Amino acid sequence: MDRLLTGLQPSGCLTIGNYSGGIKQVINYQANYETFLFVPDMHATTVTQDPDELRKNIKSAVGLYLACGVDVTRPNMHLYIQSENLYHANLSWILECHSYYGEMARMHQFKEKSKLHENFTCGLVTYPVLMAADILLYDAKYVPTGIDQKQHVELARNLAIRFNNRYKDEFFVVPEPLLPTIGAKIRDLQEPTKKMSKSTTNPKSAIFLLDNEKDIRKKIMSAQTDSEARVAFDEENKPGVSNLLSIYSVFSGMSIEELVEKFSGGGYGDLKKALAEVLVEKLTAIQDNYSKIMQSGIIDDALDAGRDYTNAIAKEKYEKVRRAVGYGR
Ligand code: ATP
Ligand code: MG
């Protein structure tokens, strides 16, 4: 079985964007690949986090993976926490020494996030290398992701190729990003030129998987659209409406064409009301599962098993790489 790997930072409550680019893809692929699904808690600290909040978000993220339908009873599903495996940071250091500052400074996400902080951390600059280590440690062939992380997976590809060439062996599998056809970039509800993000400072701009019914409806009804009052899918000229159609498609399984046909006679109000209904139904079901899962022992059992399994694989890979670069005796 080929390996598939992805992770979602516990930097806040997961959004419907994270569902679309990350979790939904894992659920769709979980029968076909050996799946490595982890909580990148070390990535979250590239910006300041409250420790208690971070710890709460880690468990909540795992609860949400499971509540959405990630099936840990499958023997090919491995769920783990990044910081419970020391090889991620160790391999990251080796890869940092094979990466260039210019390469890091060109990353879109670094450019955007560094603007938000007067004094950003070195971790924010080197974070894509840690992400490359996350992927390369396990020889993952596929990395489900949204558009925002595509460039980072490309860096992981480049580092794998660079390392294999320099040390003249197939140390790493060269990974590929997997993007959903619809919903690879769910947009911010208030500023639809931007992507929706869980670490947003404006809660109206994102729908979180644990939002209550009232908030879901309010956020969808107040989403920015345009003054044309014509339902059509045109991401460049009508990003707000196109976003609503994409979200609808992701959560209903209907195609964009079907949705445009269904709503083309009415105004944006009809589309928004129907979309809010779909989201309330789907998210309420996820939230019901979530409450049960959070009270069970299933999360810790899955994380313990995942930690042990992935540490063994990572150790073997790291030792091989460490020897290749000449570390130790
Ligand atoms: P943060 O604001 O803290 O960076 P985030 O919402 O961007 O959080 P990440 O943890 O960085 O979430 O990304 C987790 C996964 O979700 C990645 O695969 C990423 O590509 C995907 N993702 C994030 N935002 C979106 C979005 N708006 N649409 C589709 N996929 C997304
Ligand atoms: Mg992000």
Side-chain angles (χ1 to χ4, degrees):
M1 247 183 184
D2 283 332
R3 288 180 175 169
L4 176 140
L5 175 145
T6 198
L8 299 97
Q9 295 186 56
S11 44
C13 182
L14 302 182
T15 69
I16 54 173
N18 302 138
Y19 177 83
S20 178
I23 303 179
K24 188 180 175 198
Q25 294 211 85
V26 170
I27 294 162
N28 289 344
Y29 289 120
Q30 63 187 341
N32 306 322
Y33 298 102
E34 182 175 21
T35 304
F36 293 72
L37 177 59
F38 69 107
V39 186
D41 50 351
M42 292 158 72
H43 287 293
T45 57
T46 50
V47 298
T48 310
Q49 300 288 342
D50 174 79
D52 292 331
E53 194 67 20
L54 178 59
R55 201 162 293 117
K56 207 178 85 208
N57 285 336
I58 292 170
K59 191 154 183 203
S60 171
V62 181
L64 280 171
Y65 296 170
L66 302 187
C68 290
V70 167
D71 183 1
V72 278
T73 64
R74 289 177 183 277
N76 60 323
M77 172 62 69
H78 314 296
L79 197 61
Y80 55 104
I81 297 176
Q82 185 185 33
S83 68
E84 293 186 355
N85 186 327
L86 304 182
Y87 297 105
H88 288 246
N90 274 304
L91 178 60
S92 182
W93 176 253
I94 295 182
L95 295 177
E96 270 188 46
C97 296
H98 293 75
S99 315
Y100 301 104
Y101 178 73
E103 224 168 11
M104 296 303 115
R106 278 199 300 276
M107 294 285 141
H108 305 312
Q109 185 177 287
F110 166 67
K111 287 195 208 160
E112 278 159 31
K113 286 200 173 177
S114 57
K115 273 192 238 147
L116 305 175
H117 304 273
E118 207 176 299
N119 213 353
F120 56 83
T121 66
C122 293
L124 194 67
V125 189
T126 57
Y127 145 94
V129 186
L130 178 57
M131 178 166 156
D134 299 334
I135 300 168
L136 302 184
L137 262 182
Y138 302 102
D139 285 332
K141 188 159 176 196
Y142 298 111
V143 182
T145 179
I147 278 180
D148 58 303
Q149 297 288 342
K150 187 165 172 258
Q151 194 186 28
H152 294 166
V153 181
E154 278 155 10
L155 174 77
R157 288 176 63 80
N158 291 341
L159 287 174
I161 294 168
R162 188 177 303 163
F163 199 94
N164 290 348
N165 286 344
R166 188 167 307 169
Y167 298 97
K168 301 192 174 28
D169 201 352
E170 295 300 306
F171 288 95
F172 298 122
V173 166
V174 180
E176 281 174 39
L178 282 182
L179 271 68
T181 356
I182 301 294
K185 179 180 175 180
I186 298 296
R187 295 161 184 273
D188 183 299
L189 296 175
Q190 294 301 318
E191 290 180 73
T193 49
K194 291 180 9 191
K195 83 165 193 77
M196 183 181 287
S197 288
K198 71 173 107 65
S199 60
T200 178
T201 49
N202 177 4
K204 277 168 72 183
S205 70
I207 292 185
F208 301 98
L209 298 185
L210 294 175
D211 271 349
N212 65 35
E213 182 173 340
K214 195 167 137 230
D215 286 345
I216 296 170
R217 292 189 199 280
K218 232 171 38 198
K219 289 180 188 184
I220 290 294
M221 294 316 288
S222 64
Q224 294 299 313
T225 46
D226 53 62
S227 53
E228 212 184 24
R230 180 177 62 90
V231 175
F233 192 79
D234 177 348
E235 288 189 288
E236 198 173 325
N237 299 307
K238 295 168 78 66
V241 180
S242 305
N243 191 37
L244 298 178
L245 290 167
S246 298
I247 298 170
Y248 204 127
S249 174
V250 167
F251 281 89
S252 69
M254 289 174 75
S255 71
I256 297 291
E257 293 71 29
E258 285 170 327
L259 290 169
V260 171
E261 168 87 29
K262 182 174 158 82
F263 291 104
S264 60
Y268 296 155
D270 292 345
L271 169 63
K272 285 178 167 180
K273 272 193 205 124
L275 172 58
E277 215 47 59
V278 168
L279 283 174
V280 165
E281 192 191 315
K282 292 281 174 189
L283 298 190
T284 311
I286 290 173
Q287 291 168 15
D288 289 346
N289 292 340
Y290 175 80
S291 311
K292 288 180 206 130
I293 287 162
M294 293 303 275
Q295 283 157 24
S296 73
I298 182 176
I299 292 182
D300 281 319
D301 291 347
L303 288 174
D304 287 349
R307 177 199 56 212
D308 295 347
Y309 183 81
T310 56
N311 262 279
I313 296 176
K315 179 179 195 313
E316 195 178 321
K317 176 66 76 185
Y318 176 73
E319 287 300 335
K320 193 172 165 199
V321 170
R322 189 175 80 94
R323 275 196 304 278
V325 295
Y327 285 174
R329 280 183 267 177

